[in-house]
Amino acid sequence: MFKKVYDFFSSVKLAIFLLLTLAITSIVGTIIEQQQDPEKYLMEYGQTTYKILKFLGFTDVYHSWWYISLLTLLAINLIVCSVKRLPKIWKVAMEPRKTFPAGQEKTLRISTSITLNASLKEVKEKLIEALRLKRYKVEVAKEDEEEVHIFADKNVYARFGVYIVHFGVLIVLLGGLITAIFGYRGYMNLAEGTVSNLVSFFSGPNIVELPFHIRCNKFTIDFYPSGMPKAYISDLSVIENGKEVYRKEIRVNDPLKYKGIYFYQASYGQGEAFLKIKDKSGERVVGVAFGQPIKLGPETYLRIVSLDGQRMEIGIEFIQNGRLEEGVIKPFVFYEVPGTDKMIAMVDFKPVFYTGLQVAKDPGTWIVWVGSTVMIVGLIIAFFIPHRRVWARLERKGEDKVKLYMGGISSKGSEGLAQELEEVLGVLKSSYCKNTPKEDEL
Amino acid sequence: MIKSVELFNAGMVAYFVAFLFYTIYAFSKSSWASKLATGFAWLGVIAQGAGFVVRGIEKAKVNMVSDWTAFYKYAPFTNMYESLMLFGWTAVLIYLLFEWKYKNKAFGMFVIPLALIGELSTQILGFNPEAQPLVPALQSNWLLFHVVTTFIGYAAAAVSAGVAYAYFIKREDTTLKDWAVVFLTTWFIFFFIIYSAYRENAPLYLLISAGAAALFCLALYGLKKVGISRFFPSIETMEQIMYQSVAVGFVFLTIGIILGAVWAKYAWGGYWSWDPKETWSLITWLVYAAYLHARYIKGLRGKPLAYFTIVGFLSVIFTYYGVNLIIPGLHSYAQ
């Protein structure tokens, strides 16, 4: 049973199947718009189709149980495959047969032989030197009066390129997992001069309270002469314990980073509401950009989302204990905030621009970068660096005559290796071959 | 001062002349035709290379850049016109490097027209050739590196597909079924390219692209009949070239995707947002990953290898054209 499961997960066929299945199912998410509001789907597809799409997870493919299962299977497949194959590859790579018995040269794709006028010792040393010049690791595998066997190889690590790539992929997947569990992305709308520490998620009632505040000092849009926007610039300050600790002008492609949290220039909009808040301690007026929540009590927030100037109605979202309710209020009328001792009224509105910041915390990013680097290094090794091996046998043929047999294999393309052996042979020929230009290719 | 568009056009004329000489060379084997062919191809590459430099200066002007160290941020690869010029230029350049390395000029008459069609399509499809200012999202240090690596990947995929088509000319046992596959895939490619420009009246463009694909197949069939395959390398070498260009393409696509993720981290707030372009680049990556594994365990070769190569290229074409223009997303500004 265990053996069956193990064989199933260690097959490369499964890998091909998973890769292609992921490829095909990923297409779905580029045809159906993802993570939209239910109303939007209902309008586009109707009740029945929407229910089917929802059931299949097609409205959020990349977070659906089956897509994540496919990724998990791929990760398991990668690990089991590597565990199964690595020892074999290790044996092949690190423990080759190093001697070069007679006749063996016939089995190699590249091999030559030559007779040289020198002693066994001279040829041996010259050959070792020539191979070392080509950056080979050389060792004498066997040596006696009659014969010397030499083994040389280089770039043995190239055999493991594929495993480096796979390792990189696993690290990237791990980074993605950490992003999914510990990271978040939300937004913050700040009108000039307003301060907040509340980050709203893009949909739903989730609000994160940052341990510090952000103030927008200034928001500017630059234009090209044609009227096309050239730059969006927000001048932001980080405020911690009532003091400004950091200040930066951000623009698209140049975010602010503080304590692992990034603030990106993402959008902009129009509208700042002024709210009068009354409680036992007195009353105060605060300005807040549309879409940005203010905190009115524990787990209690209010957002102004729209203004209907004609009917004099203000659209709000009220969030308490993780539940969001939409509603409408009238200006200058005080409303009691449930669960608190506060009264609230909207007393003014200004159509000023506010900056839209995207706020992201993502502890997985660095892991993804490490994994990506490992992957690129692995790919370059796997595809572009050849592992080469050379065997040579020197046979003594009487006094001061040596017959050399030499051959090799390369893990990628044999032209390069043939060229190298040619050059090594050239060195030997120019040294010991003055009288015997005899050379027989096998 | 001379305009970049004039240099790009001059390059296209040079490519066309080079194509004529490559064809003459393929049939006559005359050495002067061979030299002229390569000469004109290089001339086109140099003219368009100069075109990119001039284009960069023009873009710096419309972007009102005075800081010359920031020049590389305004690399001229940011709309459909520029990116198609880059595609054609890279494809010819890669081809010329292959020609120089393998000393074989038989593919010139396939690759050069492919590049030329890509570049000419900007005029047929009506892409705006004006140098335009950059929207804020594209003003990034990563633009140049992301686009260049991705395009080397795309061009390598195009070379592999070009060889795959030539492979069906070379093989003696090309059946009607193989021709059907060649027809269907080119139909798809032509349709994406044309439809992505107009985005209306799909049936009409399906018809037009079917006609174009039929002509293309007929041309291939004609070349096979006149015995062009004599000048191709052996079947094994062609399979080797297909596989090697896919491998090169895979490495560069991987680097391109990763650089895109790095850029996205600084521009959009996260390294991966499942934007349609991102997703399609992942799909292409997965297809090629499956390809490499299939070759590794099953020794994928012969016709299935050629089919798979073409499917990979289809995915590239869709990532490049289809997503930019058909599906809205964060990459749509590339229009």
Side-chain angles (χ1 to χ4, degrees), chain A residues 12-13 15-16 19-20 22-24 26-27 30-31 62-63 67 85 89 166 169 175-176 179 185 223-226 228-232 252-255 262 264-265 358 360 362 364-366 368-369 372-373 375-376 379-380 383-384, chain B residues 62-64 74 133-140 243 247-248 250-252 254-255 258 261-276 279-280 282-283 285-287 289-290 292-294 296-298 308 318 327-328:
Chain A
V12 184
K13 270 187 200 155
I16 296 172
L19 290 168
L20 289 177
L22 279 167
I24 292 164
S26 295
I27 297 175
T30 66
I31 295 170
Y62 312 111
H63 305 96
Y67 198 82
R85 274 152 221 264
I89 298 283
H166 288 169
V169 171
T179 297
R185 277 202 226 181
F223 293 96
Y224 290 108
S226 65
M228 196 177 126
K230 180 171 192 259
Y232 307 101
V252 183
N253 277 308
D254 188 13
Y262 282 78
Y264 301 87
Q265 181 66 59
Q358 177 163 177
D362 189 348
T365 307
W366 280 102
V368 171
W369 292 164
S372 303
T373 313
M375 237 167 100
I376 294 174
L379 279 172
I380 290 170
F383 283 122
F384 302 128
Chain B
V62 297
N63 282 290
M64 305 184 294
Y74 299 90
L134 283 186
V135 297
L138 290 179
Q139 298 163 12
S140 164
Y243 165 71
V248 170
F250 185 72
V251 174
F252 278 94
T254 311
I255 299 175
I258 290 169
V262 175
W263 182 5
K265 169 75 193 165
Y266 290 101
W268 299 335
Y271 55 82
W272 198 262
S273 311
W274 296 105
D275 161 78
T279 308
W280 267 97
L282 175 70
I283 292 168
W285 190 87
L286 289 167
V287 169
L292 295 171
H293 284 89
Y296 167 69
I297 51 152
K298 295 184 140 181
F308 216 146
F318 198 79
I327 305 171

Side-chain angles (χ1 to χ4, degrees), chain B residues 86 105 136 162 264 281:
Chain B
L86 181 65
K105 296 192 178 188
S281 71

Side-chain angles (χ1 to χ4, degrees), chain B:
Chain B
M1 202 172 101
I2 190 158
K3 281 194 189 140
S4 59
V5 177
E6 291 163 0
L7 284 166
F8 288 133
N9 289 343
M12 286 189 233
V13 173
Y15 292 158
F16 183 70
V17 177
F19 161 64
L20 292 181
F21 282 118
Y22 274 116
T23 314
I24 294 172
Y25 164 75
F27 292 100
S28 69
K29 285 279 148 189
S30 89
S31 78
W32 59 267
S34 135
K35 281 184 191 132
L36 280 172
T38 307
F40 271 102
W42 276 110
L43 196 68
V45 165
I46 291 165
Q48 297 200 332
F52 284 116
V53 175
V54 174
R55 186 74 169 187
I57 296 168
E58 288 168 7
K59 291 206 77 142
K61 256 187 210 152
V62 297
N63 282 290
M64 305 184 294
V65 186
S66 46
D67 178 8
W68 285 89
T69 55
F71 184 68
Y72 68 97
K73 283 195 192 181
Y74 299 90
F77 317 130
T78 51
N79 62 17
M80 228 29 209
Y81 177 83
E82 289 164 1
S83 86
L84 277 164
M85 287 303 141
L86 181 65
F87 169 75
W89 188 75
T90 326
V92 175
L93 187 62
I94 288 184
Y95 162 73
L96 284 172
L97 295 177
F98 262 93
E99 177 188 296
W100 177 65
K101 192 181 164 204
Y102 288 102
K103 310 276 176 257
N104 187 315
K105 296 192 178 188
F107 294 121
M109 57 180 296
F110 295 96
V111 178
I112 305 267
L114 203 74
L116 198 57
I117 289 171
E119 294 194 353
L120 275 173
S121 73
T122 57
Q123 312 206 332
I124 302 163
L125 302 176
F127 292 123
N128 187 358
E130 292 289 310
Q132 289 149 341
L134 283 186
V135 297
L138 290 179
Q139 298 163 12
S140 164
N141 294 340
W142 298 98
L143 169 71
L144 179 67
F145 309 105
H146 169 60
V147 174
V148 167
T149 45
T150 307
F151 263 79
I152 297 174
Y154 285 174
V159 170
S160 72
V163 176
Y165 283 126
Y167 183 80
F168 287 112
I169 299 180
K170 174 80 183 180
R171 281 189 78 112
E172 301 288 327
D173 59 347
T174 309
T175 59
L176 200 63
K177 196 184 102 206
D178 299 325
W179 285 111
V181 171
V182 170
F183 171 74
L184 279 175
T185 51
T186 40
W187 186 11
F188 247 67
I189 293 172
F190 288 159
F191 175 69
F192 278 139
I193 295 175
I194 302 174
Y195 182 70
S196 62
Y198 298 104
R199 272 173 285 175
E200 51 176 31
N201 220 343
L204 174 69
Y205 294 117
L206 268 173
L207 213 66
I208 293 177
S209 46
L215 278 178
F216 179 82
C217 291
L218 221 64
L220 287 186
Y221 188 73
L223 286 169
K224 188 180 171 74
K225 282 288 142 199
V226 298
I228 190 76
S229 64
R230 265 175 300 159
F231 310 117
F232 292 172
S234 69
I235 285 185
E236 290 73 30
T237 311
M238 287 175 82
E239 288 182 5
Q240 194 64 25
I241 295 176
M242 259 189 263
Y243 165 71
Q244 277 178 352
S245 15
V246 166
V248 170
F250 185 72
V251 174
F252 278 94
L253 279 179
T254 311
I255 299 175
I257 292 172
I258 290 169
L259 288 176
V262 175
W263 182 5
K265 169 75 193 165
Y266 290 101
W268 299 335
Y271 55 82
W272 198 262
S273 311
W274 296 105
D275 161 78
K277 188 93 166 183
E278 282 177 341
T279 308
W280 267 97
S281 71
L282 175 70
I283 292 168
T284 306
W285 190 87
L286 289 167
V287 169
Y288 279 134
Y291 177 107
L292 295 171
H293 284 89
R295 179 153 168 109
Y296 167 69
I297 51 152
K298 295 184 140 181
L300 181 69
R301 46 185 46 86
K303 285 180 193 171
L305 180 79
Y307 288 148
F308 216 146
T309 309
I310 293 173
V311 168
F313 183 62
L314 276 182
S315 180
V316 167
I317 284 285
F318 198 79
T319 310
Y320 177 39
Y321 270 101
V323 181
N324 264 3
L325 298 170
I326 296 173
I327 305 171
L330 294 166
H331 271 84
S332 323
Y333 43 61
Q335 183 180 351

